[in-house]
Amino acid sequence: MRPRIGEKDKLSEHIILRLTKSEKAEILNRVKEEKLLSVADYVRSRLFKKRLSKRITVSEEYVRTFRTMDYNLTKIGINLNQIAHKLNSYNTYILTEEDKDAFRDCHGQLNECFSILGKFLLKIR
């Protein structure tokens, strides 16, 4: 059995709103996107929500760039883990030229990622 709703919490009032077909379709699409159960839930959330969220749409170039950056950052992490493993495994291990090159590559890739992030953040603002 459902719990009883107090008199002040009952949904007894209603508003009738006329829309065009395209406006109604847009609202139904947004209800579906936000995974709400009904149009009423969507309208209540939009009207009474204290903090509205912003939806940002991005281009395919943006998605492609960030996937590439994610891949490059993963490679950097793997390289750094390999170097840390060598340093921790052997007490007498000294950084080789190969290790120094890996550090230089990591540094270069990080700088590239930061510059790309900066470029796209300026576009968002």
Side-chain angles (χ1 to χ4, degrees):
M1 185 182 255
R2 287 178 33 176
R4 290 202 167 192
I5 297 174
E7 280 299 315
K8 72 175 194 169
D9 293 329
K10 284 186 180 178
L11 303 175
S12 60
E13 301 298 316
H14 67 275
I15 294 175
I16 297 172
L17 177 67
R18 296 197 182 277
L19 304 169
T20 65
K21 285 185 181 186
S22 62
E23 289 171 334
K24 183 178 178 182
E26 178 65 27
I27 289 174
L28 292 174
N29 187 35
R30 289 183 184 187
V31 168
K32 187 177 177 183
E33 282 178 359
E34 294 187 21
K35 296 182 173 88
L36 293 171
L37 298 176
S38 68
V39 173
D41 289 338
Y42 172 77
V43 172
R44 273 192 213 93
S45 73
R46 299 308 258 166
L47 289 174
F48 300 118
K49 206 177 204 183
K50 298 283 187 218
R51 187 173 154 224
L52 295 176
S53 60
K54 243 185 199 179
R55 185 181 355 165
I56 299 173
T57 56
V58 294
S59 67
E60 284 299 316
E61 177 197 0
Y62 186 87
V63 171
R64 200 171 33 256
T65 300
F66 275 83
R67 282 191 179 146
T68 302
M69 284 178 32
D70 180 51
Y71 174 75
N72 288 335
L73 289 171
T74 301
K75 282 181 15 181
I76 290 169
I78 290 169
N79 287 338
L80 290 174
N81 282 337
Q82 288 173 349
I83 292 169
H85 176 71
K86 285 182 182 178
L87 288 173
N88 290 326
S89 295
Y90 311 106
N91 289 337
T92 58
Y93 187 80
I94 298 172
L95 289 178
T96 64
E97 255 335 285
E98 186 179 303
D99 295 332
K100 291 177 184 177
D101 289 340
F103 275 121
R104 282 189 207 96
D105 287 345
C106 290
H107 186 261
Q109 288 178 2
L110 283 172
N111 280 337
E112 186 180 332
C113 288
F114 282 126
S115 68
I116 292 170
L117 276 173
K119 181 179 86 171
F120 280 102
L121 286 175
L122 288 175
K123 286 184 179 181
I124 290 174
R125 291 181 188 166

